[in-house]
Amino acid sequence: MRETPPPTAVIGVRACDLAALALQDRHFLEGDYPDPHYRDRRERLLLVAVNCHRSAETCFCVSTGDGPEVTGGADLVLDELDQGFLVKAGSDRGRRLLDALPTRPVQGRFRRRAKALRKEARIQQRALPSRDLRAPLYAAREDQRHWHSVAERCLTCGNCAASCPTCFCFRVDEETPLDGSQSQAVRRWDTCFNDEHSYLVGHVVRKSAEHKYRQWLTHKLATWHDQYGRSGCTGCGRCITWCPVGIDIVEEAERLCTEVRTGEIRND
């Protein structure tokens, strides 16, 4: 018997988050076997988004095409100004909510200010070299020297996957009380940096840091195109922020492209 999840509102969602949620929807709701638990929560989710008026040093959503301005996927969209919030509806549910709020028409000068700030947010310090990195990543698949140079720093802690809004891997654990009276299947988020993720018939398929990081980066930036028609990266930069050893996905992608272009990548 499925429990009905409570209605949930998420306030402060950014454009990169909405792009990631659209990818999660494709994974869990499309195909032959849509996930009923995900669908129940998704249908009860209210999203209040905020347009970005400045970009952090780690942001690169412009290069992935996913920000910084919200273009869809939210119920309400806000622009935060010193004088208050500009708000517009992005869905029928958002429109009903907006009609119930005490609002007043936006003055032109505030509208122009918000537009100028959204334009400023497009100035970012980082950019992926391409939205489709399949060629360099597939070319580097067997070059152990390249992946070893990353693995020397990588702690396989999984922070990058845990902070990434598009990572969807999970595991199912069977939990039984001490009296053995029942068994319950519990789903938990997982990461390809855990040994258990690639455990198969008594053997861990991806044991080394080289293989784990290669799996994460290649899936995120390359094989997602084959599955979903686009990269799995929305340019939020959280993996850069939360990596304890400073591994930068943009720097790694740029280095990979340079090594392929200069012939340094070898598959021997």
Side-chain angles (χ1 to χ4, degrees), residues 10-69:
V10 181
I11 301 173
V13 181
R14 303 292 172 163
C16 55
D17 297 317
L18 293 169
L21 186 58
L23 285 166
Q24 296 278 359
D25 287 347
R26 291 193 61 183
H27 178 73
F28 286 105
L29 297 180
E30 297 181 9
D32 296 331
Y33 304 100
D35 188 317
H37 304 282
Y38 181 94
R39 183 180 59 233
D40 289 347
R41 291 181 177 275
R42 187 69 176 88
E43 290 174 350
R44 291 166 175 79
L45 183 63
L46 178 76
L47 297 170
V48 181
V50 181
N51 283 316
C52 292
H53 289 176
R54 65 181 66 86
S55 290
E57 293 181 358
T58 52
C59 293
F60 55 98
C61 62
V62 173
S63 66
T64 66
D66 298 307
E69 183 175 355

Side-chain angles (χ1 to χ4, degrees), residues 146-171:
H146 174 87
W147 301 112
H148 181 70
S149 66
V150 185
E152 285 184 319
R153 292 180 290 154
C154 180
L155 305 177
T156 68
C157 66
N159 271 15
C160 51
S163 61
C164 177
T166 66
C167 277
F168 50 68
C169 288
F170 63 87
R171 70 177 189 272

Side-chain angles (χ1 to χ4, degrees), residues 23 25 29 34 38 58 81 115 117 125 137-138 143 157 173 177 184 203 232 235 251:
L23 285 166
D25 287 347
L29 297 180
Y38 181 94
T58 52
L81 301 178
K115 183 178 180 179
L117 289 171
Q125 300 180 28
L137 278 161
Y138 291 160
D143 191 304
C157 66
D173 297 329
Q184 183 180 19
H203 176 67
E251 290 181 358

Side-chain angles (χ1 to χ4, degrees), residues 205-224:
V205 177
R206 290 186 294 272
K207 184 69 176 178
S208 67
E210 289 98 324
H211 291 162
K212 291 176 181 178
Y213 188 83
R214 181 184 66 179
Q215 160 66 21
W216 182 76
L217 192 69
T218 302
H219 187 210
K220 186 67 58 180
L221 299 182
T223 54
W224 271 68

Side-chain angles (χ1 to χ4, degrees), residues 74-151:
D75 296 295
L76 292 174
V77 182
L78 305 179
D79 279 285
E80 185 178 6
L81 301 178
D82 292 339
Q83 296 81 5
F85 291 96
L86 275 61
V87 57
K88 66 178 180 180
S91 70
D92 291 339
R93 180 167 51 176
R95 192 167 295 106
R96 291 192 297 269
L97 181 59
L98 183 58
D99 289 342
L101 296 175
T103 60
R104 60 179 183 269
V106 180
Q107 296 181 23
R109 61 191 179 98
F110 295 140
R111 197 186 303 274
R112 290 190 294 273
R113 176 58 176 162
K115 183 178 180 179
L117 289 171
R118 292 196 296 269
K119 185 177 180 180
E120 288 181 17
R122 297 187 62 84
I123 302 173
Q124 297 180 338
Q125 300 180 28
R126 283 176 167 81
L128 282 176
S130 171
R131 293 185 186 179
D132 187 347
L133 293 165
R134 281 179 288 185
L137 278 161
Y138 291 160
R141 191 175 340 206
E142 303 303 327
D143 191 304
Q144 296 303 314
R145 297 171 309 151
H146 174 87
W147 301 112
H148 181 70
S149 66
V150 185

